[in-house]
């Protein structure tokens, strides 16, 4: 039978287009921040940045929580999926292994030099992550070593598994708004990332997201787990303030 899994050409392993989008109304002072840190030298595969701002109550929401920037982020297919219906991510993260430059000393991730510059600067700015329980279970919480930042807040009605990496700064909270507030406190002056999918979509609908960062991989899934989860309302975007093409 024909293999119907989404895939790229075997000789391609093309880096993704990366889009960063901010919501209308985000930011108390309305600034377009981070342009200085994400110049053309950071050329990441297909990365495009714009501020997304919603038009309902975002200012008040940000005033009621700490000022850590919340970035909704993950690799995604061209048609908006982060995995197929069986949680198979296909080629969405192949670009982390298609280059010659290690992201960190001893890292298994090897990307292009341009992509490495961008990803390093992004990861170095992350203080904490917000993820859903499904991702935590699939990845086993990365065995207590988050891929970015020092802290992880898991949105879940179930507690942390007994005896699971007691040394790791993982916090289990059953409410998205409270999870974001906790992650913001833990992040301090650094950014908070929220994983794409249902939790990220809820944060977006609640007006908590400042920026959406998509690493858009040139593959079509056709069906699967949506980047924006169950979001079914319109969110207006500002014009892109950055477009980066990986090499």
């Amino acid at each position: 039978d024909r293999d119907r899994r989404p895939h790229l050409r075997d000789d391609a392993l093309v880096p993704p287009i990366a889009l960063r989008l901010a919501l209308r109304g985000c930011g108390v002072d309305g600034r377009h921040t981070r342009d200085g840190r994400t110049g053309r030298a950071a050329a990441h595969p297909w990365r495009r940045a714009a501020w997304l701002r919603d038009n309902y109550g975002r200012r008040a929401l940000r005033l009621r929580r700490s000022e850590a920037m919340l970035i909704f982020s993950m690799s995604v297919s061209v048609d908006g999926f982060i995995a197929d219906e069986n949680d198979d991510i296909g080629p969405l993260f192949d670009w982390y292994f298609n280059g010659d430059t290690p992201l960190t000393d001893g890292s298994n991730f090897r990307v292009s030099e341009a992509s490495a510059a961008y990803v390093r600067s992004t990861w170095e700015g992350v203080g904490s992550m917000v993820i859903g329980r499904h991702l935590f279970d699939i990845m086993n919480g990365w065995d207590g070593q988050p891929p970015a930042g020092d802290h992880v807040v898991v949105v879940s009605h179930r507690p942390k598994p007994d005896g699971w990496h007691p040394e790791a700064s993982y916090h289990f909270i059953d409410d998205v708004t409270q999870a974001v507030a906790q992650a913001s406190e833990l992040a301090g002056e650094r950014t908070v990332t929220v994983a794409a999918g249902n939790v990220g979509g809820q944060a977006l609908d609640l007006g908590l997201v400042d920026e959406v960062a998509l690493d858009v991989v040139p593959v079509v899934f056709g069906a699967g787990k949506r980047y924006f989860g169950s979001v079914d309302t319109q969110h207006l975007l500002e014009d892109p303030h950055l477009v980066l093409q990986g090499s």
Side-chain angles (χ1 to χ4, degrees), residues 27-29 57-67:
V28 173
D29 58 3
R58 170 170 300 282
R59 182 182 178 87
L61 281 166
R62 278 187 62 77
L63 286 171
R64 286 198 294 267
R65 66 181 176 90
S66 68
E67 288 304 303

Side-chain angles (χ1 to χ4, degrees), residues 46-95:
W46 261 21
R47 184 147 230 132
R48 181 179 181 177
W51 280 107
L52 278 154
R53 303 199 191 162
D54 73 15
N55 52 8
Y56 55 94
R58 170 170 300 282
R59 182 182 178 87
L61 281 166
R62 278 187 62 77
L63 286 171
R64 286 198 294 267
R65 66 181 176 90
S66 68
E67 288 304 303
M69 176 180 287
L70 183 67
I71 300 176
F72 180 174
S73 176
M74 191 172 283
S75 290
V76 60
S77 69
V78 170
D79 52 344
F81 296 101
I82 55 175
D84 69 14
E85 293 167 342
N86 298 312
D87 293 316
D88 186 344
I89 58 174
L92 291 182
F93 293 90
D94 285 355
W95 65 276

Side-chain angles (χ1 to χ4, degrees), residues 3-237:
D3 183 357
R4 298 186 61 82
R5 292 176 300 171
H7 62 281
L8 301 177
R9 301 191 316 270
D10 292 340
D11 61 345
L13 294 179
V14 179
I17 293 178
L19 301 101
R20 291 183 65 168
L21 315 157
L23 264 91
R24 283 199 179 181
C26 86
V28 173
D29 58 3
R31 292 173 302 156
H32 286 193
T33 60
R34 283 179 170 61
D35 355 46
R37 196 188 67 184
T38 52
R40 282 194 65 81
H44 179 75
W46 261 21
R47 184 147 230 132
R48 181 179 181 177
W51 280 107
L52 278 154
R53 303 199 191 162
D54 73 15
N55 52 8
Y56 55 94
R58 170 170 300 282
R59 182 182 178 87
L61 281 166
R62 278 187 62 77
L63 286 171
R64 286 198 294 267
R65 66 181 176 90
S66 68
E67 288 304 303
M69 176 180 287
L70 183 67
I71 300 176
F72 180 174
S73 176
M74 191 172 283
S75 290
V76 60
S77 69
V78 170
D79 52 344
F81 296 101
I82 55 175
D84 69 14
E85 293 167 342
N86 298 312
D87 293 316
D88 186 344
I89 58 174
L92 291 182
F93 293 90
D94 285 355
W95 65 276
Y96 275 100
F97 306 94
N98 74 342
D100 300 320
T101 306
L103 283 179
T104 59
D105 291 339
S107 172
N108 291 325
F109 296 136
R110 292 184 175 272
V111 298
S112 69
E113 186 175 351
S115 294
Y118 181 84
V119 174
R120 284 177 191 143
S121 68
T122 301
W123 285 6
E124 287 169 2
V126 174
S128 60
M129 301 173 60
V130 178
I131 67 173
R133 184 60 181 249
H134 188 58
L135 179 57
F136 173 85
D137 288 341
I138 289 174
M139 301 302 299
N140 191 33
W142 300 280
D143 295 320
Q145 299 290 326
D150 301 317
H151 314 279
V152 177
V153 180
V154 182
V155 180
S156 176
H157 295 289
R158 292 178 284 140
K160 183 177 179 178
D162 290 340
W164 186 88
H165 293 283
E167 78 288 352
S169 181
Y170 280 61
H171 310 264
F172 289 69
I173 296 177
D174 65 1
D175 177 82
V176 171
T177 301
Q178 292 177 16
V180 169
Q182 176 73 46
S184 296
E185 278 188 37
L186 293 167
E189 295 182 355
R190 293 185 291 172
T191 57
V192 176
T193 64
V194 58
N198 288 331
V199 168
Q202 290 177 57
L204 182 67
D205 271 341
L206 288 167
L208 300 174
V209 172
D210 299 311
E211 183 171 315
V212 176
L214 306 97
D215 296 329
V216 184
V217 177
V219 60
V220 174
F221 274 58
K225 305 294 178 68
R226 297 176 58 206
Y227 182 94
F228 291 101
S230 59
V231 170
D232 59 1
T233 54
Q234 185 179 94
H235 294 269
L236 298 178
L237 316 182

